[in-house]
Amino acid sequence: MAEMAAKPEVFVRKSSGLVRTAGWWDVLAYNVNFTSIGLLLVFLLWLGAAFYPGVNLAVSAILCTLLILPLALTFGYLASAMPRSGGDYVYVSRVLGPALGMMSNFNVTMWWFFYGGVPSAFLAIYGLAPFFRTMGIFTGNSGLIDVGNWFASPTGMFIFGALLISLLVYIFARGMKTFFRIQNILILFAIVSTVLSVVVFVGKSSADVMEAFNRYVGPLTGQANVAQFVLDSAKEGGFALAPFDLRQTLLAMTWIYLNLSFMQSSAYIGSEVKDARRTQLRSMLWTLGLVGLGVLVTVVVVVNAVGMDFLGALGWADPASIGMSSTPLYTEVAAYLSGSTVVAFLITFGFIFWSYAWLPGQIINGSRNILAYSLDGLFPAWFHRVHPKLNTPVVALGTMGVMSILALAIYVFTSYFATLVGIFGFILSFSLVSIAAMLLPYRLPAVFEASPVKQRLGGIPVITIIGALSLISCVFMAWVFVADPNASGANGPVFMVVFNLIIFLSGLGVYYLAKWLQKRRGVDVSLSYKQLPAE
C-alpha cells in the first residue's frame, strides 16, 4: 500500500469526452493525408523545376526526408510517452512550463487558422479545375473546359472552399468514426491517381510527352506545336536551365518540408488513438518512409520522361497563353500521355482528394488544441463541451470552421498571404518540441520511466539524443526558409521572420491574460499543469 501511495500520479485518468476510435490504419491514413503527396509533387515538380535553377529534385527529396526523420522520431516518442490530444501543447507545457507550452501551441493553432483558407482554395484550383478541364479536352466539350477554368477563379475557389469547410465541420461533428470511414475510402482514390501517374510516365521520352501535349492542348490555342511555344515563351521570359547547384537544391526543400513535416499530425488527436503508445510512433515513421519514397520515385520517373526544360517551362509560362486559367499539373500531363479517357478520369478525379488533404487535419487538430486550452482553464469552459452522443467538441469545431472561411477569403481575394510564409513559424514550435524531448527524462522522470520510450544509449536517454538532432534539423530548415526568396512572399524575409515571431510570442500574452483573469476568480491555472491533461 505504501508503494502504491508513493507512486506519482502521472497518468491520472480523467475524461475529456473524447473516445479512442482511431486504429492503426486510420492513423496512418490521417498522417499520409496531411502530407498530401499529390500536392507535394505538384509544388516540387512545377515550382522546383521553374524557379530553382540547377536544382536536383531527387537529391532535394532524399535530403529533406532525412532531415525530417529526427522530427518524426521526436513527435513519435513524445506521443508515445504522453498519449493525449493537443500535440506540442501537452509536450511543451508539461516539460518546459505552461507559458512556453501555450506559446508553442497557440502559434500552431493560429497558423492553422490562417492555413485553413489555403487547402480549401486548392480544392478548386488544383482539384476540380484540372479534372473538368481534362475531361473537357478528352471529350471535346468546351463547356467542361470553361467550367474547369471557372473553378480556378477567385469566386470559384471561395464558393467551393467554403462549402468544403462547412461539409467537413459537419462530418467531424458527427463523429470521428464517420470521418475515418470516409477518409479511408477517399485516400484509396488519391493513391490510385498517384500510382497511375507514375506508371504512365515509365518508359516515356520527352518527345512522347511533347507529342501528347500538342495533341490535347494544341486545339485550345490553334497551334500545332504548343509544347515548343511553351518552351520558347519561357525562355523569352527568362527561364533557363543551369548546372547542378547545391544551394538551389537545398532551397527547393521548402516545398517538400511544407507537406512532409506534418507526418506527425496524429499527435494532436492522441486521446482518440487506440494503443497510442505504439501506434503513434509507427504511423509517423511509416508515413515519412512511404511518402518520402513515393516522392523520390515519382520525381525520378517524371523528370526522366518530361525533362527539366519542359517541366520548368510549364511552371514559368503564362497559362493564359495556352487557353488555361491555371498552370497544367503533372497529373494533367500524365492524363494526356495516357491517351485514355478512363485513365485520365482516374488520375484527375483521384487527385481531387489530394488537393484539400491538409484541411481535415487542420480543422480537427486545431479544435483539439482549443479543447486542451479550455480543459486547462485558459479558454472558456464551453470550448471543451463535448456532445454527449457524438463525442465531438462541436463548439471548438465550429470555431475552426468560421476562422477557416475567413482565412479562405483573405487567401483568395487579397495578396496578404503566401503559401510558404507560415512554415517558419511552425519550425519555431518544432524547435520547442525538440527541446522538450531532450529534457523530458530530466524534467519528468516518472513519465519517462513509465513510458515505452525509456531506452538509453551509453547512459543517455535516446529521446534526448533524438531531440538534439531534431533541434539541429529545425535550425537548418529555418535557415533554408529565410534564404529562399520564394518562401517570404512579396514582403521579403525580414517581414516574414518578424510576422512569424509576433504570432509565436502572442501565445505568451494569451497565457498570462488567462492566468490573471482566473486568479481574480480564485483559480490557479498553473495547478492544471502538474499532471497530464484529461484523456
Side-chain angles (χ1 to χ4, degrees):
M1 292 294 292
E3 182 181 347
M4 292 180 63
K7 189 174 181 179
E9 294 187 13
V10 294
F11 288 112
V12 176
R13 189 177 183 90
K14 299 179 180 179
S15 175
S16 64
L18 301 176
V19 178
R20 295 191 183 275
T21 59
W24 186 86
W25 170 247
D26 300 320
V27 176
L28 179 63
Y30 190 76
N31 287 334
V32 170
N33 252 328
F34 213 133
T35 65
S36 182
I37 186 174
L39 278 179
L40 193 165
L41 288 166
V42 163
F43 295 141
L44 187 62
L45 290 168
W46 164 29
L47 300 173
F51 300 106
Y52 298 84
V55 66
N56 185 309
L57 298 179
V59 173
S60 296
I62 294 170
L63 291 178
C64 195
T65 302
L66 292 175
L67 282 167
I68 293 173
L69 177 59
L71 182 67
L73 289 167
T74 294
F75 267 94
Y77 269 54
L78 287 170
S80 298
M82 292 179 271
R84 300 292 192 274
S85 290
D88 62 302
Y89 175 70
V90 176
Y91 315 146
V92 179
S93 66
R94 268 53 181 182
V95 177
L96 302 182
L100 292 180
M102 189 61 178
M103 182 177 72
S104 173
N105 191 256
F106 191 71
N107 170 62
V108 169
T109 303
M110 286 297 293
W111 281 116
W112 275 332
F113 281 155
F114 285 124
Y115 273 104
V118 178
S120 51
F122 286 175
L123 167 68
I125 194 170
Y126 297 137
L128 297 173
F131 171 69
F132 281 96
R133 190 162 61 202
T134 301
M135 289 298 96
I137 288 173
F138 269 81
T139 61
N141 188 328
S142 61
L144 288 178
I145 297 173
D146 292 338
V147 169
N149 287 332
W150 179 81
F151 277 122
S153 70
T155 302
M157 285 189 283
F158 179 77
I159 290 175
F160 279 85
L163 288 173
L164 174 65
I165 292 168
S166 302
L167 176 61
L168 286 174
V169 169
Y170 173 77
I171 292 172
F172 300 149
R174 299 299 300 172
M176 291 298 287
K177 279 188 177 181
T178 301
F179 167 68
F180 285 133
R181 282 197 295 267
I182 295 172
Q183 167 200 262
N184 296 348
I185 294 172
L186 297 184
I187 197 173
L188 297 177
F189 287 102
I191 291 171
V192 167
S193 168
T194 301
V195 172
L196 275 179
S197 297
V198 175
V199 170
V200 166
F201 282 113
V202 171
K204 298 298 192 300
S205 66
S206 180
D208 296 326
V209 172
M210 295 181 73
E211 189 278 329
F213 196 83
N214 288 334
R215 186 181 347 135
Y216 288 100
V217 181
L220 297 181
T221 64
Q223 299 183 62
N225 197 345
V226 66
Q228 189 60 50
F229 169 78
V230 169
L231 285 168
D232 293 341
S233 297
K235 289 176 182 177
E236 289 173 8
F239 170 71
L241 294 178
F244 174 73
D245 188 312
L246 178 59
R247 178 184 174 87
Q248 295 297 325
T249 298
L250 293 174
L251 297 186
M253 292 192 304
T254 52
W255 297 102
I256 305 172
Y257 199 87
L258 167 69
N259 293 66
L260 194 52
S261 62
F262 294 99
M263 45 67 228
Q264 36 71 14
S265 182
S266 61
Y268 294 86
I269 59 167
S271 293
E272 293 159 274
V273 175
K274 297 177 182 177
D275 194 15
R277 293 176 182 271
R278 292 189 298 175
T279 300
Q280 292 279 36
L281 177 60
R282 290 177 181 177
S283 68
M284 292 175 195
L285 292 178
W286 270 94
T287 299
L288 180 64
L290 290 172
V291 177
L293 181 62
V295 170
L296 177 61
V297 170
T298 305
V299 162
V300 170
V301 171
V302 173
V303 169
N304 283 342
V306 182
M308 289 293 285
D309 52 348
F310 191 57
L311 272 177
L314 278 176
W316 192 279
D318 179 6
S321 66
I322 56 174
M324 297 185 181
S325 59
S326 59
T327 300
L329 311 183
Y330 82 97
T331 51
E332 293 176 84
V333 177
Y336 308 149
L337 194 57
S338 74
S340 165
T341 303
V342 173
V343 174
F345 175 89
L346 293 173
I347 289 175
T348 55
F349 177 74
F351 190 84
I352 291 173
F353 306 110
W354 282 138
S355 66
Y356 63 86
W358 300 346
L359 187 60
Q362 288 169 194
I363 295 175
I364 294 172
N365 293 355
S367 70
R368 273 42 176 186
N369 290 350
I370 292 172
L371 179 143
Y373 308 153
S374 181
L375 286 172
D376 283 336
L378 301 182
F379 270 28
W382 44 272
F383 275 114
H384 72 252
R385 289 176 185 166
V386 173
H387 194 282
K389 293 183 179 179
L390 302 176
N391 303 116
T392 54
V394 290
V395 176
L397 284 169
T399 302
M400 287 299 301
V402 171
M403 295 299 291
S404 294
I405 291 175
L406 289 174
L408 171 64
I410 294 171
Y411 182 75
V412 168
F413 296 117
T414 77
S415 57
Y416 295 137
F417 189 77
T419 302
L420 283 175
V421 75
I423 305 303
F424 183 84
F426 279 105
I427 293 174
L428 295 176
S429 291
F430 294 163
S431 299
L432 274 181
V433 173
S434 301
I435 295 171
M438 293 168 60
L439 298 180
L440 171 66
Y442 309 103
R443 299 294 298 271
L444 296 177
V447 172
F448 174 69
E449 293 298 338
S451 75
V453 295
K454 58 182 179 179
Q455 307 97 338
R456 286 178 168 81
L457 183 62
I460 303 174
V462 172
I463 193 172
T464 299
I465 298 171
I466 291 170
L469 292 174
S470 179
L471 181 60
I472 293 170
S473 172
C474 287
V475 171
F476 181 77
M477 286 306 305
W479 168 81
V480 169
F481 274 86
V482 172
D484 182 8
N486 298 300
S488 305
N491 296 307
V494 174
F495 175 83
M496 179 194 73
V497 171
V498 171
F499 184 55
N500 276 266
L501 283 173
I502 291 172
I503 293 178
F504 184 60
L505 295 172
S506 66
L508 284 178
V510 173
Y511 173 76
Y512 284 112
L513 175 61
K515 185 176 182 180
W516 176 72
L517 291 172
Q518 291 285 40
K519 187 175 182 179
R520 294 186 64 184
R521 298 174 55 223
V523 178
D524 183 359
V525 296
S526 63
L527 296 177
S528 300
Y529 298 89
K530 300 299 183 182
Q531 60 185 24
L532 293 185
E535 289 193 68

